Amino acid sequence: MAKRPNFIHLQIEQDLEEGKNSGRIHTRFPPEPNGYLHIGHAKSICLNFGIAEKYGGKCNLRFDDTNPAKEETEYVDSIMEDVHWLGFDWGDRLYYASDYFDKLHQFAVDLIKKGKAYVDDQDADTISRQKGTPTRPGFESPCRMRPVEENLRLFEKMTAGDFPDGSHVLRAKIDMASPNMHMRDPIIYRIIKASHHRTGDKWCIYPMYDFAHGQCDYWEGITHSVCTLEFEVHRPLYDWFIDQLMDSDYRPRQIEFARLNLTYTVMSKRRLLELVKEGYVNGWDDPRMPTISGLRRRGYSPESVRNFSERIGVTKVDGMIDVSLLEYSVREHLNKIAKRVMGVLNPLKVVITNYPVGETEELEAINNPEDPLMGTRKVSFSRELYIERDDFMEDPPRKFFRLAPGREVRLRYAYFVTCTEVIKNEKGEITELHCTYDPASRGGNSPDGRKVKATIHWVSAAHAVKAEVRLYDRLFNDENPTGHKDIDFRQFLNPESLTVLKECFIEPSVRKAKPLDHFQFERLGYFNVDYDSTEENLLFNRTVPLRDSWSKFQNGK
RNA sequence: UGUCCUGUGGUGUAAUUGGCAACACGUCUGACUCUGGAUCAGAAGAGUCCAGGUUCGAGCCCUGGCAGGACAACCA
């Protein structure tokens, strides 16, 4: 896909022109391992790794693991898997904020010695109240004037674990009257007596994110710290820390961009975690989840996610992207690569009354009309078939082109058939169709050149394999589930987001398919094989339906 | 009564030094088609948040408004 430069690229190019960092470009993707990555992170990953690729630079993967209470190894593993799946690699540059705990601690001690940090032993409420509000200045803590020696001693005791959680914090001494809340003597270290996923029980105190992030960037030689808009107001604080640290004119440049919002979805790890924990979905990788692992299981390809990221662009405008753009991106890619296959989701039996009993023949079908190199395959035809229930109407409206009593249609790659009889049960439900076929139309064309208005898909009843197919719809039925003041986002959960069809019949060529293999079920949509699928119990997920002007017409009526 | 950020078709992004507001998705036509898919051709849809100003000329520069968002976790 053609990549056009976004505003961050332009700023980087300007830095390059000015000869900053002697032409070096180094970015990083810094997730907190407290949940699975989602499509919004994909945007950031594509941006950061993309910048490195574009300018011949490097991109680090760094886990921001400064809060042992929320972080787990499971998340670390999933994040690495997802970044790789998207097609990016951090080489030997895998880092953790926890790699810098010693340096950070030393830096804190240095700040104390310089009189720029102090231990506060007031409770959280009091400290919070003293901070003021965005429109009112804060006032100074009585601990602010504590002598350096005492601060050093207290911080040492904090480090040694002599104090309980929450009893003491270390604060930077900046300006309680600053119009920027983040400069009002921010807390930089707090006591958390929890075991850390990497450092174990070595530490009782942990740096705050704000005290770690900028310094990690600095120590890693990051030239461009790309992050989301909400950190814009933190930038002066990060700069303040770097001011205390820097020994040359090198300083990472932070550039903020707008996080991704998608219609009909929620995009915060906290809420996604709630959906998982409360059982509204079946785990982080439920195909209805906007997580990278969910999209993967749903059948999205890495290419389609990357193309989507490219297409939406990068700006500072906090907007909302239409999911239809994401869906367009998968269809676009899958159309090129997915093998075509015939499958009947809601089967209706058809008997070809003039076809010999017990006979079977092989017909040739094209695997992908978009790509001749994908070749052809044989599909078996016989007297008893299944077609899609939706492809027959006993009393069709004007614009319905498919099968109806007395009407002739083409069975794809096979024959022209005409419906001669509709069989019903006592309840008046259609159970079976009788048709006749035209032997001269073998392969799908009639020698006399007569036309049919529709081609429908089918499978041979005797040859088809049974499969379970899961149809997914959007998880929420409101465009902006979290955008309503007094209504919880769960209220907008779509009760029909998952439809399980257990009696589907697919042509046998899919039997050996492996999990994650993509298919187009002709005329229906793109489907992929689920992780839980086996040769005996085939299981497909619908990635996205095909564009469908007939259903659009129907719904519009 | 703050600080910072952002306002361009329905949505998302472009517009070089100030020079006919462009592209994609979506929508609607039509062509073609053994997928009501894909493809191809075309159409509608904004005068750039508002008001002034500078200029031959402003989406872009200046002034003043308005609207939306972020910031008051010992979260990141």
Side-chain angles (χ1 to χ4, degrees), chain A residues 285-542:
Chain A
D285 69 345
D286 185 299
R288 291 166 293 180
M289 291 281 273
T291 49
I292 295 176
S293 52
L295 292 167
R296 175 166 62 234
R297 191 165 189 174
R298 174 83 170 249
Y300 277 71
S301 60
E303 290 88 340
S304 62
V305 176
R306 275 192 264 121
N307 287 343
F308 171 74
S309 295
E310 189 56 42
R311 222 176 313 249
I312 59 177
V314 178
T315 64
K316 302 188 75 152
V317 185
D318 186 20
M320 171 95 70
I321 308 271
D322 198 320
V323 258
S324 68
L325 193 57
L326 216 210
E327 293 176 346
Y328 171 82
S329 297
V330 231
R331 288 196 188 102
E332 178 192 45
H333 181 59
L334 262 23
N335 177 45
K336 290 183 203 135
I337 64 154
K339 183 182 175 188
R340 270 57 168 178
V341 122
M342 291 198 283
V344 173
L345 267 34
N346 294 296
L348 174 59
K349 193 171 181 183
V350 171
V351 178
I352 311 295
T353 52
N354 59 339
Y355 194 86
V357 176
E359 188 163 316
T360 294
E361 64 182 307
E362 306 258 277
L363 300 160
E364 189 166 52
I366 294 166
N367 286 334
N368 187 346
E370 305 292 318
D371 180 7
L373 266 57
M374 286 177 72
T376 60
R377 69 186 185 285
K378 299 289 188 191
V379 289
S380 302
F381 187 86
S382 62
R383 192 169 193 266
E384 297 196 350
L385 314 170
Y386 291 116
I387 66 165
E388 208 68 60
R389 242 166 215 283
D390 287 350
D391 285 341
F392 176 81
M393 277 185 112
E394 194 172 16
D395 188 19
R398 279 181 70 75
K399 294 222 173 180
F400 185 84
F401 302 145
R402 285 110 94 148
L403 198 60
R407 189 182 286 179
E408 184 173 54
V409 299
R410 174 170 32 234
L411 295 179
R412 178 145 233 227
Y413 299 124
Y415 293 101
F416 282 17
V417 294
T418 304
C419 176
T420 53
E421 199 181 348
V422 180
I423 314 292
K424 296 181 184 175
N425 62 16
E426 322 75 55
K427 285 185 274 184
E429 298 160 343
I430 300 169
T431 55
E432 192 175 313
L433 258 31
H434 284 3
C435 295
T436 56
Y437 83 118
D438 175 5
S441 63
R442 188 176 197 275
N445 291 298
S446 70
D448 63 6
R450 77 182 184 278
K451 302 278 186 196
V452 287
K453 290 200 84 170
T455 299
I456 64 173
H457 61 275
W458 54 276
V459 294
S460 166
H463 301 86
V465 297
K466 199 148 110 177
E468 175 176 330
V469 175
R470 295 172 181 171
L471 305 179
Y472 299 100
D473 199 356
R474 44 185 58 137
L475 228 203
F476 296 93
N477 46 32
D478 184 89
E479 234 185 47
N480 187 8
T482 56
H484 303 265
K485 273 200 165 50
D486 300 311
I487 313 179
D488 184 82
F489 74 104
R490 295 173 188 77
Q491 296 299 307
F492 300 107
L493 246 3
N494 175 9
E496 290 165 7
S497 60
L498 171 60
T499 304
V500 179
L501 302 173
K502 291 184 180 284
E503 300 275 316
C504 306
F505 294 101
I506 321 291
E507 63 169 78
S509 68
V510 300
R511 183 172 266 136
K512 300 274 186 210
K514 298 277 177 298
L516 263 35
D517 281 353
H518 305 282
F519 293 97
Q520 184 197 99
F521 290 2
E522 293 219 32
R523 303 207 306 130
L524 297 175
Y526 296 98
F527 294 77
N528 84 335
V529 181
D530 191 80
Y531 294 125
D532 295 339
S533 184
T534 64
E535 227 174 285
E536 294 71 39
N537 287 298
L538 283 169
L539 182 50
F540 290 91
N541 296 314
R542 184 175 68 190

Side-chain angles (χ1 to χ4, degrees), chain A residues 72-96:
Chain A
E72 293 174 23
T73 305
E74 176 196 348
Y75 298 133
V76 170
D77 295 340
S78 76
I79 288 168
M80 293 197 282
E81 183 186 2
D82 289 347
V83 174
H84 272 148
W85 178 76
L86 276 174
F88 298 105
D89 189 55
W90 51 89
D92 57 357
R93 298 175 311 281
L94 170 63
Y95 299 106
Y96 294 82

Side-chain angles (χ1 to χ4, degrees), chain A residues 150-169:
Chain A
E150 193 183 340
N151 280 321
L152 245 20
R153 208 179 59 245
L154 286 170
F155 190 54
E156 205 170 291
K157 287 171 81 76
M158 281 171 66
T159 307
D162 294 347
F163 299 128
D165 283 25
S167 61
H168 296 67
V169 290

Side-chain angles (χ1 to χ4, degrees), chain A residues 92-126:
Chain A
D92 57 357
R93 298 175 311 281
L94 170 63
Y95 299 106
Y96 294 82
S98 49
D99 293 339
Y100 306 96
F101 280 176
D102 286 302
K103 278 175 108 163
L104 254 6
H105 188 266
Q106 184 55 51
F107 181 37
V109 170
D110 291 344
L111 286 179
I112 295 172
K113 286 180 180 162
K114 285 198 272 183
K116 292 184 175 180
Y118 61 97
V119 172
D120 198 321
D121 55 16
Q122 302 176 103
D123 61 72
D125 262 8
T126 307

